[in-house]
Amino acid sequence: MSRTVPPLHSQPRGRQRPNDHKTGPKGEPMTPIPSSSLIVLCPRTSKKGPNGHLEHEHDTLMVQRSARDGSSFRSAVVFPGGALDLVDEEIVRNFCTNTGRQMTEQEMLLLALKICSLRETFEETGLLLVPSQKATLSNGLGWSKAVGPTETGITSEEWQDARERVHHDAANFLPFYRRVTEQLSEQLNQNSLTKSGFPRLPSMMHYSNWITPRSVVRPAKRFDAHFLITVLDTPNIFADSSMMGIKADGTETLSLKLGTPGNIVSEGIVDRLVLFPPQFYILADLHAALTTPAPTVTPLENIQPLIFSPHTEPRVTPVEEEARGLNGRNFAWDRKDVAQASKDSLEKTNWVSDSEPPLLAEDVATAIEPKGLIKLGRKISVSEPNDDGPYVFPLVLTGDFQASSSRAQSPLKPTGDMNGKPMNRMYVFTRPKELGGGLVVKGCVRKCLNGLRDFQVGVMLHDENAKKITANM
């Protein structure tokens, strides 16, 4: 029996945390907006192995963003996700207040990011993930169970209606999620709530954290983007997508894409689809992990969070700050003005400070803020097309032999053959503004650095100054 619910126009819209996108000066970078995306690895039966057992490849579920003006990452293929809603944070804070549960700011943030990624994935694709009974892998990577209208006894019409209501107001997600998990509690053979009384969520590992570079200035937006990862516990789940109730929402996303990380990267290199730097780098890393033979672990156990530090001393690598002439101070992460910090009108960002990147801890991914290195001192605009066509240049990350001096003290140390030069970079070109702007990737190289699996994919530029720079290292 379907439930009677009030019309959408009678319900409030979702709320995002205050930001300075429209209030700050044009031509300066805005405070990054926290966001969360979910990487869903989907096992697919490929063939029988030499021992007669079925072998699996792993697809990733991605969405093509809307091409409309004002849309972030226009037409790009991205992982399902979106901006952190105040509702996501309020759910966690209210739980702590009502139960007396003690949680650190980081623990509350990670929990809010998980709720956000589940909500956005359901809203954009129709895929709803609930806890799996399978044990977490040795690397911390966990499993999720995909459910649809068939398993839950909810009509397809109600399922679609729930997606629309979540799109209209993020507060509608958790009640729907609790309804589904309560109905499935017997099938899942576990209580729908944790011992502390919080809704039981599927296992999601914090995998990567990217911050839009400061070269992206207003009116463009910047994001503090967190990527979580999970694996579906059942193969071939999308053989009949109608059974799972999945399809693009038609508003923020135009279509869904399912393919192996390697295949999606290959399509991006030949311009069959648009991949921005974080998605390209993540897919390349997943491809390297899933296709590199390892004698003692499964391909899934090759996947490690992007922490650029030695295994013996895990810590987050500081991200370079660019001087902006703010009374001798570096440009702050959240643009906080110390003199105004006490004003009631200024809402503080609890896990962001002037001196350290978000989520500064030993067990989370490095906050990555790429820095473009223009060859031979050539200056280009990242917002305007060049007269002589797209100009490809390296987007240099921590540990690269051409990284700036502030990153030279990174714990990510060179290893192996120094003649090969330690590299951690992507090769990108500026995308014309009329096509959505941004930096589109053409290749990626990562080698000779501790803690990173060596790989190369796509184009690689000839470096005329390589010998000169290496000699001065």
Side-chain angles (χ1 to χ4, degrees), residues 95-396:
F95 168 74
C96 291
T97 300
N98 295 336
T99 63
R101 175 74 181 275
Q102 298 295 317
M103 298 178 69
T104 66
E105 290 291 337
Q106 178 179 296
E107 290 172 334
M108 288 192 287
L109 168 63
L110 288 173
L111 190 52
L113 290 172
K114 291 180 179 181
I115 295 172
C116 175
S117 63
L118 288 175
R119 172 178 57 77
E120 289 285 349
T121 298
F122 175 67
E123 175 189 328
E124 294 183 347
T125 71
L127 178 66
L128 186 64
L129 300 179
V130 299
S132 168
Q133 298 182 55
K134 296 187 70 171
T136 300
L137 297 172
S138 61
N139 58 345
L141 184 59
W143 306 84
S144 298
K145 180 178 178 61
V147 297
T150 303
E151 293 89 348
T152 59
I154 299 174
T155 66
S156 298
E157 291 75 17
E158 276 190 289
W159 198 266
Q160 180 60 29
D161 181 70
R163 289 181 64 184
E164 293 176 359
R165 292 182 181 283
V166 170
H167 172 74
H168 189 77
D169 186 354
N172 290 322
F173 175 69
L174 199 61
F176 178 75
Y177 180 83
R178 293 188 66 162
R179 174 189 171 191
V180 170
T181 53
E182 286 170 3
Q183 289 181 237
L184 294 172
S185 59
E186 183 175 344
Q187 178 183 335
L188 296 173
N189 194 29
Q190 61 186 7
N191 196 309
S192 62
L193 302 178
T194 64
K195 291 182 179 179
S196 58
F198 197 82
R200 193 179 297 276
L201 304 179
S203 178
M204 294 170 280
M205 181 174 74
H206 189 271
Y207 168 75
S208 187
N209 178 200
W210 293 71
I211 299 174
T212 310
R214 288 170 179 75
S215 56
V216 178
V217 297
R218 296 183 186 87
K221 293 182 179 180
R222 298 176 66 222
F223 291 90
D224 175 10
H226 297 265
F227 294 86
L228 309 178
I229 185 170
T230 189
V231 187
L232 298 187
D233 63 0
T234 304
N236 309 318
I237 202 71
F238 296 122
D240 185 356
S241 60
S242 62
M243 294 289 290
M244 304 306 302
I246 68 165
K247 62 179 180 180
D249 61 21
T251 304
E252 296 181 0
T253 59
L254 299 179
S255 62
L256 306 184
K257 182 165 186 63
L258 197 66
T260 65
N263 287 342
I264 296 175
V265 163
S266 297
E267 290 187 56
I269 291 173
V270 297
D271 296 331
R272 290 179 183 168
L273 51 82
V274 176
L275 288 175
F276 284 155
Q279 288 76 21
F280 190 102
Y281 191 94
I282 288 171
L283 288 167
D285 182 69
L286 292 175
H287 170 68
L290 292 171
T291 57
T292 301
T296 59
V297 297
T298 66
L300 287 174
E301 290 174 307
N302 271 334
I303 298 173
Q304 299 291 337
L306 293 178
I307 300 177
F308 298 153
S309 62
H311 296 301
T312 56
E313 187 188 355
R315 67 182 179 89
V316 172
T317 302
V319 178
E320 179 180 16
E321 291 282 352
E322 296 179 9
R324 292 287 177 174
L326 299 181
N327 298 322
R329 293 184 294 114
N330 281 344
F331 194 76
W333 283 91
D334 58 350
R335 305 234 20 219
K336 275 191 299 191
D337 188 323
V338 177
Q340 296 181 352
S342 60
K343 291 187 177 181
D344 295 336
S345 60
L346 183 62
E347 184 167 335
K348 296 182 180 180
T349 304
N350 293 318
W351 55 81
V352 176
S353 76
D354 290 342
S355 60
E356 57 191 29
L359 291 177
L360 184 62
E362 295 184 352
D363 57 350
V364 295
T366 300
I368 304 168
E369 185 181 358
K371 175 183 180 293
L373 177 69
I374 308 303
K375 292 286 184 177
L376 304 177
R378 178 175 179 179
K379 296 181 179 180
I380 64 170
S381 169
V382 297
S383 60
E384 299 294 336
N386 298 288
D387 295 335
D388 55 353
Y391 179 65
V392 181
F393 67 95
L395 202 59
V396 178

